[in-house]
Amino acid sequence: MQALATGGQQGYLRIATEEAFITPQVLDGYRRLVAQGYDDPGFESLWGFYSTSDADRPTFIRDGLLDMGAQRIAHMDAAGIDRAIIALTAPGTHVFDRDEAVALTIDANDQLAQACLAHPDRFVGMTAIAPQDPAFCAREIERGAAMGMKAVILNGHVRDEYTDDPKFWPIFEAAEALDQPIYLHPQGPSRHLIQPFLERGLDGAIFGFGVDTGLHLLRLIVMGVFDRFPKLKLVVGHGGEALPYWAFRLDYMHAAGIRSQRYPILQPLKLTISEYLRRNIYVTFSGMPWEPAVKFCRDTLGADRIMYAMDYPYQYQPQEVAAMDALALEPAEKKAFFQGNAEHVFNL
Ligand code: MN
């Protein structure tokens, strides 16, 4: 297949907004946890496979995650991707003990910042964090911004805890203050959620990732994170992890629950759930290059809230870029989808 053009010949640059990498040090750490029988079923399912299997797919993915130079750029060129917004892959350093997590996070951010400096027109970085230490995260988000990072990656739950717990809110405070969007990326479902998924091989990207991440985002909304931090920008992939499709029922049942005071934990919010989706949330189509989903989110959230993503190297499919080029959107909306919205959200 002929390579797609970079450089904007089609009327827009293609910015891919949910691209992944790993450092050799984090991969070694994952391998050590797997070998030690680390007790986290989602991690064991994911990295027990990807860090050890010699099959074609995991080998390609490991090589793709590790390469921050010529091979990644060659693949971007072949797929017509002008710029990649890159983050430490799932589950980041969330699985390590605090001290190791902090050391690996700092090192990963240094390596990513270096790669972005070497390829400033192709790579954009997101700051990794170790939410086990929220005060560290706030400092690291500031350090990342000073190194040129344009967002923060939150790799899902934190050893089975979700970040709607106010102890994690210094992360949101720092991101909002520095106008750094937070990308909430999936990992395997948390321990209490995962068993029925694991039993049928559904815990990964096929479904479990989205359930855990949609739940995480919904928890943030109902616990008032976006009332406390109204300017916080949060990005989610995979067509919004199903929440846009649920928006009507979420609004209806949330209002009914508040009125009836069924759950003491649920307090009234300033906006409806769908209003937060349209004010604070941006949606990418990593792993979901599918016109009906894109158009649904365009219609329900707005043309200014949808962005292209490839999910390299997990879903490296150059032909999917051509399918997205063919989206039946107005030229201005398509430019916003591929380029303008990412430039705005990530302050490029
Ligand atoms: Mn991804």
Side-chain angles (χ1 to χ4, degrees), residues 11-24:
Y12 46 83
L13 299 174
R14 297 190 197 88
I15 303 174
T17 54
E18 192 203 284
E19 317 308 301
F21 88 113
I22 199 167
T23 64

PDB file of all heavy atoms in Angstrom, residues 11-24:
ATOM      1  N   GLY A  11      -5.219  19.063   3.384  1.00  0.00           N
ATOM      2  CA  GLY A  11      -5.920  20.215   3.947  1.00  0.00           C
ATOM      3  C   GLY A  11      -5.805  20.299   5.453  1.00  0.00           C
ATOM      4  O   GLY A  11      -6.337  21.222   6.076  1.00  0.00           O
ATOM      5  N   TYR A  12      -5.166  19.318   6.060  1.00  0.00           N
ATOM      6  CA  TYR A  12      -4.963  19.328   7.510  1.00  0.00           C
ATOM      7  C   TYR A  12      -3.765  18.449   7.835  1.00  0.00           C
ATOM      8  O   TYR A  12      -3.434  17.531   7.085  1.00  0.00           O
ATOM      9  CB  TYR A  12      -6.199  18.787   8.246  1.00  0.00           C
ATOM     10  CG  TYR A  12      -6.771  17.510   7.641  1.00  0.00           C
ATOM     11  CD1 TYR A  12      -6.235  16.270   7.955  1.00  0.00           C
ATOM     12  CD2 TYR A  12      -7.843  17.557   6.752  1.00  0.00           C
ATOM     13  CE1 TYR A  12      -6.752  15.108   7.397  1.00  0.00           C
ATOM     14  CE2 TYR A  12      -8.362  16.400   6.184  1.00  0.00           C
ATOM     15  CZ  TYR A  12      -7.812  15.180   6.516  1.00  0.00           C
ATOM     16  OH  TYR A  12      -8.307  14.036   5.954  1.00  0.00           O
ATOM     17  N   LEU A  13      -3.125  18.753   8.958  1.00  0.00           N
ATOM     18  CA  LEU A  13      -2.125  17.833   9.505  1.00  0.00           C
ATOM     19  C   LEU A  13      -2.858  16.745  10.264  1.00  0.00           C
ATOM     20  O   LEU A  13      -3.940  16.968  10.801  1.00  0.00           O
ATOM     21  CB  LEU A  13      -1.171  18.570  10.447  1.00  0.00           C
ATOM     22  CG  LEU A  13      -0.354  19.710   9.825  1.00  0.00           C
ATOM     23  CD1 LEU A  13       0.428  20.429  10.930  1.00  0.00           C
ATOM     24  CD2 LEU A  13       0.586  19.184   8.750  1.00  0.00           C
ATOM     25  N   ARG A  14      -2.262  15.570  10.332  1.00  0.00           N
ATOM     26  CA  ARG A  14      -2.837  14.497  11.152  1.00  0.00           C
ATOM     27  C   ARG A  14      -2.048  14.400  12.464  1.00  0.00           C
ATOM     28  O   ARG A  14      -0.859  14.096  12.448  1.00  0.00           O
ATOM     29  CB  ARG A  14      -2.800  13.165  10.408  1.00  0.00           C
ATOM     30  CG  ARG A  14      -3.634  13.130   9.135  1.00  0.00           C
ATOM     31  CD  ARG A  14      -3.742  11.703   8.609  1.00  0.00           C
ATOM     32  NE  ARG A  14      -4.175  11.689   7.207  1.00  0.00           N
ATOM     33  CZ  ARG A  14      -3.350  11.759   6.156  1.00  0.00           C
ATOM     34  NH1 ARG A  14      -2.050  11.857   6.360  1.00  0.00           N
ATOM     35  NH2 ARG A  14      -3.824  11.717   4.936  1.00  0.00           N
ATOM     36  N   ILE A  15      -2.746  14.707  13.547  1.00  0.00           N
ATOM     37  CA  ILE A  15      -2.150  14.618  14.882  1.00  0.00           C
ATOM     38  C   ILE A  15      -2.780  13.426  15.588  1.00  0.00           C
ATOM     39  O   ILE A  15      -4.006  13.377  15.755  1.00  0.00           O
ATOM     40  CB  ILE A  15      -2.379  15.916  15.685  1.00  0.00           C
ATOM     41  CG1 ILE A  15      -1.804  17.125  14.928  1.00  0.00           C
ATOM     42  CG2 ILE A  15      -1.754  15.797  17.077  1.00  0.00           C
ATOM     43  CD1 ILE A  15      -2.119  18.474  15.571  1.00  0.00           C
ATOM     44  N   ALA A  16      -1.971  12.475  15.968  1.00  0.00           N
ATOM     45  CA  ALA A  16      -2.467  11.276  16.658  1.00  0.00           C
ATOM     46  C   ALA A  16      -2.277  11.471  18.158  1.00  0.00           C
ATOM     47  O   ALA A  16      -1.165  11.744  18.619  1.00  0.00           O
ATOM     48  CB  ALA A  16      -1.715  10.035  16.176  1.00  0.00           C
ATOM     49  N   THR A  17      -3.352  11.376  18.916  1.00  0.00           N
ATOM     50  CA  THR A  17      -3.361  11.925  20.275  1.00  0.00           C
ATOM     51  C   THR A  17      -3.268  10.896  21.401  1.00  0.00           C
ATOM     52  O   THR A  17      -3.265  11.286  22.568  1.00  0.00           O
ATOM     53  CB  THR A  17      -4.655  12.752  20.487  1.00  0.00           C
ATOM     54  OG1 THR A  17      -5.782  11.934  20.166  1.00  0.00           O
ATOM     55  CG2 THR A  17      -4.666  13.994  19.616  1.00  0.00           C
ATOM     56  N   GLU A  18      -3.218   9.595  21.081  1.00  0.00           N
ATOM     57  CA  GLU A  18      -3.116   8.605  22.171  1.00  0.00           C
ATOM     58  C   GLU A  18      -2.111   7.539  21.791  1.00  0.00           C
ATOM     59  O   GLU A  18      -2.436   6.384  21.538  1.00  0.00           O
ATOM     60  CB  GLU A  18      -4.483   7.959  22.469  1.00  0.00           C
ATOM     61  CG  GLU A  18      -4.483   7.156  23.771  1.00  0.00           C
ATOM     62  CD  GLU A  18      -5.569   6.083  23.811  1.00  0.00           C
ATOM     63  OE1 GLU A  18      -6.732   6.418  24.003  1.00  0.00           O
ATOM     64  OE2 GLU A  18      -5.217   4.889  23.652  1.00  0.00           O
ATOM     65  N   GLU A  19      -0.845   7.949  21.713  1.00  0.00           N
ATOM     66  CA  GLU A  19       0.205   7.051  21.249  1.00  0.00           C
ATOM     67  C   GLU A  19       1.076   6.675  22.451  1.00  0.00           C
ATOM     68  O   GLU A  19       1.211   7.440  23.401  1.00  0.00           O
ATOM     69  CB  GLU A  19       1.020   7.752  20.158  1.00  0.00           C
ATOM     70  CG  GLU A  19       0.120   8.505  19.151  1.00  0.00           C
ATOM     71  CD  GLU A  19      -1.001   7.658  18.545  1.00  0.00           C
ATOM     72  OE1 GLU A  19      -0.682   6.640  17.915  1.00  0.00           O
ATOM     73  OE2 GLU A  19      -2.193   8.016  18.701  1.00  0.00           O
ATOM     74  N   ALA A  20       1.622   5.468  22.432  1.00  0.00           N
ATOM     75  CA  ALA A  20       2.226   4.916  23.648  1.00  0.00           C
ATOM     76  C   ALA A  20       3.707   4.613  23.466  1.00  0.00           C
ATOM     77  O   ALA A  20       4.182   4.315  22.370  1.00  0.00           O
ATOM     78  CB  ALA A  20       1.494   3.636  24.044  1.00  0.00           C
ATOM     79  N   PHE A  21       4.429   4.684  24.592  1.00  0.00           N
ATOM     80  CA  PHE A  21       5.819   4.220  24.612  1.00  0.00           C
ATOM     81  C   PHE A  21       6.086   3.584  25.966  1.00  0.00           C
ATOM     82  O   PHE A  21       5.263   3.644  26.894  1.00  0.00           O
ATOM     83  CB  PHE A  21       6.801   5.384  24.361  1.00  0.00           C
ATOM     84  CG  PHE A  21       7.230   6.128  25.617  1.00  0.00           C
ATOM     85  CD1 PHE A  21       8.544   6.080  26.063  1.00  0.00           C
ATOM     86  CD2 PHE A  21       6.309   6.864  26.348  1.00  0.00           C
ATOM     87  CE1 PHE A  21       8.948   6.750  27.217  1.00  0.00           C
ATOM     88  CE2 PHE A  21       6.700   7.541  27.507  1.00  0.00           C
ATOM     89  CZ  PHE A  21       8.028   7.483  27.936  1.00  0.00           C
ATOM     90  N   ILE A  22       7.249   2.926  26.061  1.00  0.00           N
ATOM     91  CA  ILE A  22       7.692   2.391  27.351  1.00  0.00           C
ATOM     92  C   ILE A  22       9.202   2.577  27.439  1.00  0.00           C
ATOM     93  O   ILE A  22       9.875   2.632  26.399  1.00  0.00           O
ATOM     94  CB  ILE A  22       7.304   0.893  27.496  1.00  0.00           C
ATOM     95  CG1 ILE A  22       7.315   0.454  28.962  1.00  0.00           C
ATOM     96  CG2 ILE A  22       8.215  -0.011  26.652  1.00  0.00           C
ATOM     97  CD1 ILE A  22       6.646  -0.894  29.197  1.00  0.00           C
ATOM     98  N   THR A  23       9.712   2.725  28.638  1.00  0.00           N
ATOM     99  CA  THR A  23      11.169   2.747  28.810  1.00  0.00           C
ATOM    100  C   THR A  23      11.641   1.326  29.094  1.00  0.00           C
ATOM    101  O   THR A  23      10.883   0.505  29.634  1.00  0.00           O
ATOM    102  CB  THR A  23      11.591   3.659  29.972  1.00  0.00           C
ATOM    103  OG1 THR A  23      11.070   3.108  31.200  1.00  0.00           O
ATOM    104  CG2 THR A  23      11.067   5.080  29.798  1.00  0.00           C
ATOM    105  N   PRO A  24      12.895   1.033  28.753  1.00  0.00           N
ATOM    106  CA  PRO A  24      13.432  -0.295  29.095  1.00  0.00           C
ATOM    107  C   PRO A  24      13.325  -0.568  30.598  1.00  0.00           C
ATOM    108  O   PRO A  24      13.090  -1.711  31.014  1.00  0.00           O
ATOM    109  CB  PRO A  24      14.899  -0.214  28.650  1.00  0.00           C
ATOM    110  CG  PRO A  24      14.952   0.896  27.653  1.00  0.00           C
ATOM    111  CD  PRO A  24      13.876   1.873  28.040  1.00  0.00           C
TER     112      PRO A  24
END
